[in-house]
Amino acid sequence: MGVSMGRTLGRRVFLAAAGMMMGAIALAGTGSDALAQPAKIKVAGVYTVPIEQQWVSRIHKALKEAEGRGEIEYVFAESVATTDYERVLRQYAEGGQQLIVAEAFAIERPARAVAKDYPKTAFLMASSFPAAGNNFSVFDNYIQEPAYLTGMIAGAMSKTGVIGMVGGYPIPEVNRLMNAFMEGAKEAKPDIKFMVSFIGSWFDPPKAKEAAFAMIDRGADILYAERFGVSDAAKERGKLAIGNVIDTQPQYPDTVVASALWHMEPTISHAITAVRDGKFVGEDYGQFSLMKFKGSSLSPLGTFEDKVPGDAKAKVKEREEQIRSGAFTVKVNNDEPKSSM
C-alpha cells in the first residue's frame, strides 16, 4: 500500500514537474514573441479644420496608414476652435498620448507652453517658427518643388496669359508655394500675369469660389487652387485649374490639369521611429517634404496627358530630374506674393 502510494505520488510529481517545464517553455515563447512585436505608440491628432480639408487630410492619411500597419494607436479631434485648442492639447497629454501631431499656426505660445509642461510627451507641430527644447518639433509642407513644376504647366497652357491665384492666408507656408508656382509659370511664359487673392480662411469653399469667379471675369483662364472651392468655379466657367496638396483630378477630370502633391508619410515615419527609440528631440522636419525624401511629387497628368503640349511636358520632365538630382534648386520665397495686373 505504501509502495503503491509512493509510486503514484512520484508519478504525480514527475507529471507536475513536466507540466511546469512545458508551461515555462510556452511562456518563454510567448514572451519572446511579445518582445518581437514593438509596443504601439499612442498618437493623437489635433486639427482646427475638418479632416476633409486638403492639408489636414494628408496628415490624417499618413497616420491612418501607420495605424493600419499596427505601429500606432491613433485618436484625433477635428474642427477644434483656437480658443479651445490648448485645452485639447493638455487633455491628450494628460491622457498619456506619447506623440501629439497638431498645428501651431496662430496659437504658437499656448502650444509651446503645453509642450514645456509635458516634457515626456513628443509634440510634432506645424509651425512657421523653429523647433524648441527636447520635445517640440516642427514641420510644414515644403512642396515648393512640385509647385514650381505645376507653374510651368500652367504657363504653357494659358491662352490669355493671365493666371488667378486664391489662397487662405499670406503666411510663409502658403507664400512659398505660390511664389514657386509663379516662377515656374514665368519660365514657361515670361510675360504671364497674375491676380492674387487671400480669403482669410483655411476652409471656406464658397468664399474661395467667389474670389475665383472675380478673377475669371477679369481674364484668368487658369486658376491656382490653393483652397477648396476654386476648382468648382473653374469647372462652372469652363476654365482650367491647378491643384495643391492633393490630387483632385478624379473629381474634376476636365478641369484640374495637375497638382503639387504632399506626402506626409516620411515625416510621420521619422517621428514614430524617434518616439519608439526614445530619440525624439526638437528638430525641423521640413526637409522630409522635399521630393528627394519622397515627401512631395507632381501628380500624373491623367486626363490631360494628351492635352499638355509635348515640348512643355519635356521641359517639365527635365526640370523634375534636375530637382531630384540637385542640379536645380527651387528658390524658397516666403514673401507675400503680389498681383501683377
Side-chain angles (χ1 to χ4, degrees), residues 159-175:
K159 292 180 172 60
T160 65
V162 179
I163 295 177
M165 307 182 68
V166 181
Y169 293 93
I171 63 172
E173 288 70 19
V174 175
N175 296 344

Side-chain angles (χ1 to χ4, degrees), residues 163-247:
I163 295 177
M165 307 182 68
V166 181
Y169 293 93
I171 63 172
E173 288 70 19
V174 175
N175 296 344
R176 75 170 66 99
L177 307 187
M178 284 188 161
N179 284 319
F181 172 88
M182 294 165 80
E183 289 302 311
K186 285 188 284 188
E187 178 180 341
K189 186 170 293 185
D191 60 348
I192 196 83
K193 301 296 181 184
F194 303 96
M195 287 181 283
V196 181
S197 177
F198 295 95
I199 64 173
S201 172
W202 290 130
F203 194 72
D204 192 340
K207 193 171 183 179
K209 187 176 180 180
E210 288 303 316
F213 278 146
M215 292 177 175
I216 293 172
D217 291 340
R218 294 180 59 199
D221 63 346
I222 294 185
L223 298 167
Y224 177 76
E226 199 271 328
R227 293 293 100 193
F228 276 165
V230 176
S231 295
D232 292 298
K235 179 181 178 181
E236 287 187 25
R237 296 289 181 86
K239 305 302 180 183
L240 301 179
I242 296 294
N244 182 57
V245 175
I246 64 175
D247 186 0

Side-chain angles (χ1 to χ4, degrees), residues 10 16 23 32-34 59 74 124 127 130 137 184 189 211 234 244 255 274 295-296 316 337 339:
S32 177
D33 291 342
I59 303 171
Y74 174 49
L124 180 60
S127 173
S137 288
K189 186 170 293 185
N244 182 57
T255 303
S296 59
V316 169
S339 298

Side-chain angles (χ1 to χ4, degrees), residues 108-315:
E108 289 283 350
R109 289 184 179 179
R112 291 168 187 266
V114 173
K116 282 186 178 180
D117 290 343
Y118 298 92
K120 293 184 179 180
T121 303
F123 291 83
L124 180 60
M125 308 287 288
S127 173
S128 304
F129 298 94
N134 293 320
N135 69 327
F136 192 94
S137 288
V138 297
F139 72 92
D140 191 13
N141 60 330
Y142 275 80
I143 61 172
Q144 63 273 3
E145 295 168 333
Y148 185 97
L149 299 176
T150 60
M152 292 179 66
I153 294 171
M157 292 290 284
S158 177
K159 292 180 172 60
T160 65
V162 179
I163 295 177
M165 307 182 68
V166 181
Y169 293 93
I171 63 172
E173 288 70 19
V174 175
N175 296 344
R176 75 170 66 99
L177 307 187
M178 284 188 161
N179 284 319
F181 172 88
M182 294 165 80
E183 289 302 311
K186 285 188 284 188
E187 178 180 341
K189 186 170 293 185
D191 60 348
I192 196 83
K193 301 296 181 184
F194 303 96
M195 287 181 283
V196 181
S197 177
F198 295 95
I199 64 173
S201 172
W202 290 130
F203 194 72
D204 192 340
K207 193 171 183 179
K209 187 176 180 180
E210 288 303 316
F213 278 146
M215 292 177 175
I216 293 172
D217 291 340
R218 294 180 59 199
D221 63 346
I222 294 185
L223 298 167
Y224 177 76
E226 199 271 328
R227 293 293 100 193
F228 276 165
V230 176
S231 295
D232 292 298
K235 179 181 178 181
E236 287 187 25
R237 296 289 181 86
K239 305 302 180 183
L240 301 179
I242 296 294
N244 182 57
V245 175
I246 64 175
D247 186 0
T248 55
Q249 192 183 82
Q251 291 75 40
Y252 306 92
D254 300 317
T255 303
V256 175
V257 183
S259 301
L261 306 182
W262 184 32
H263 309 295
M264 187 65 175
E265 287 77 8
T267 299
I268 292 299
S269 179
H270 185 76
I272 291 173
T273 300
V275 172
R276 186 178 61 236
D277 296 346
K279 297 179 180 179
F280 190 94
V281 294
E283 62 179 310
D284 187 346
Y285 280 56
Q287 64 173 331
F288 296 109
S289 289
L290 298 178
M291 293 180 76
K292 69 178 181 179
F293 285 101
K294 298 183 179 180
S296 59
S297 67
L298 174 66
S299 70
L301 291 176
T303 54
F304 280 84
E305 184 64 46
D306 297 327
K307 299 177 184 179
V308 177
D311 60 339
K313 289 192 291 186
K315 290 178 181 178

Side-chain angles (χ1 to χ4, degrees), residues 25-40 70 276:
I25 292 173
L27 184 60
T30 302
S32 177
D33 291 342
L35 288 175
Q37 297 293 327
K40 293 182 180 180
R276 186 178 61 236

